[in-house]
Amino acid sequence: MNIIDGKLIAEQIKTEIATEVRKMIDSDIRPPHLAAILVGEDPASQTYVASKERSCKEVGFTSSIYRYPATISEKDLLLAVDFLNKDEEIDGFIVQMPLPNHISVEKVIESIDPKKDVDGFHPINAGRMLANLPSYLPATPYGIMQMLERCNIETEGKHCVVLGRSNIVGTPISILMSRNNKHANSTVTLCHSKTKDLEKITLQADILIAAIGKPLFVTSNMVKEGAVIIDVGIHRVISSETKSGFRLIGDVDFLNVSKKCSYISPVPGGVGLMTIVALLQNTLKAARKEIYQ
Ligand code: GUN
């Protein structure tokens, strides 16, 4: 069994990005600037935004965080988005999810200028991805594709089973894995809450991507010997073994599944780190106007 070292791959990509940023600065071009809008005090969101900020610093990007209370009105949040849309010093930005219930996520996402939508959540970017046109790819699927490619994991002709059909992971990764290119070309099955005989399907998976949002959902009886396992889940559980009193676990029962598979991405140290790096890559593309003029 091989561990897919998300930390190592993310570090390699960050070094490559930092080299590009250095070249920009040497040519008197300002470094890429990623901004984040953070609404409320959700601890997980605060952690995500802080680690995005840290990663920006590591590669030489400028970063800024716009914090608003959970009581902000939808109208004011839309104004904040518009402010960032118009700021020429900001190449790309994200609105950290989840948002408070009184705010329409769809409205907020649709108000983001697609040219600055480095999360790839805007319907224009989602549609362009579906049509195989240049677009910002959603960060987690983009990160997973690069993980497989950089580990030289064969995908062509393989049966890839995706668990979960979310807009940000399950649905886009199923499209990317079925694409006609050397690092995809898989036959994809997308499973969800209404799928029947789930185990019968997962047992056929050469590549199993778990993005179902349920801790330790994938158990070893669901996995074929020698399969490649990508764990997208991140769940904070209480632990007596750590100083913080918490530890992170994924959607996969790592302890038992790892005994059966050929490759597995761990949690932490797997997909999560790739997601952040993919966001940086999208921001570099935004700064260079690679997707849109
Ligand atoms: N919340 C959890 N994942 C994400 C993400 O990829 N982007 C944003 N904006 N919010 C999130």
Side-chain angles (χ1 to χ4, degrees), residues 241-265:
E241 287 154 35
T242 60
K243 241 199 279 174
S244 66
F246 293 100
R247 71 189 175 95
L248 295 178
I249 58 170
D251 285 357
V252 177
D253 173 12
F254 182 90
L255 208 62
N256 294 306
V257 170
S258 60
K259 291 176 190 152
K260 254 181 131 175
C261 60
S262 60
Y263 286 88
I264 186 164
S265 74

Side-chain angles (χ1 to χ4, degrees), residues 37 45 48 52 94-98 119 121 139-140 168 275 279:
I37 292 181
S45 291
Y48 288 146
K52 283 166 191 166
I94 65 155
V95 179
Q96 185 64 40
M97 304 295 167
D119 253 337
F121 290 174
T140 300
I168 63 173
T275 298
L279 184 67

Side-chain angles (χ1 to χ4, degrees), residues 37-42 46 65-78 80 95-96 98-103:
I37 292 181
L38 179 58
V39 179
E41 309 278 330
D42 178 55
Q46 307 221 33
I65 305 178
Y66 292 80
R67 295 171 199 276
Y68 297 97
T71 50
I72 189 173
S73 67
E74 185 179 275
K75 185 165 159 268
D76 284 348
L77 185 58
L78 293 174
V95 179
Q96 185 64 40
L99 290 173
N101 289 336
H102 66 277
I103 294 174

Side-chain angles (χ1 to χ4, degrees), residues 14 46 49 55 57 77 87 111 125 131 150 163 188 219 227:
K14 278 198 265 190
Q46 307 221 33
V49 169
S55 301
K57 281 212 178 79
L77 185 58
D87 186 339
S111 72
N125 281 311
R150 290 194 182 225
L163 302 183
V188 178
T219 46

Side-chain angles (χ1 to χ4, degrees), residues 1-9 147 150-151 153 228-230 254-255 257-259 261-271:
M1 183 272 300
N2 299 286
I3 300 275
I4 301 178
D5 190 343
K7 188 162 193 287
L8 183 73
I9 304 167
M147 219 175 195
R150 290 194 182 225
C151 289
I153 292 171
V228 173
I229 312 291
I230 304 294
F254 182 90
L255 208 62
V257 170
S258 60
K259 291 176 190 152
C261 60
S262 60
Y263 286 88
I264 186 164
S265 74
V267 179
V271 172

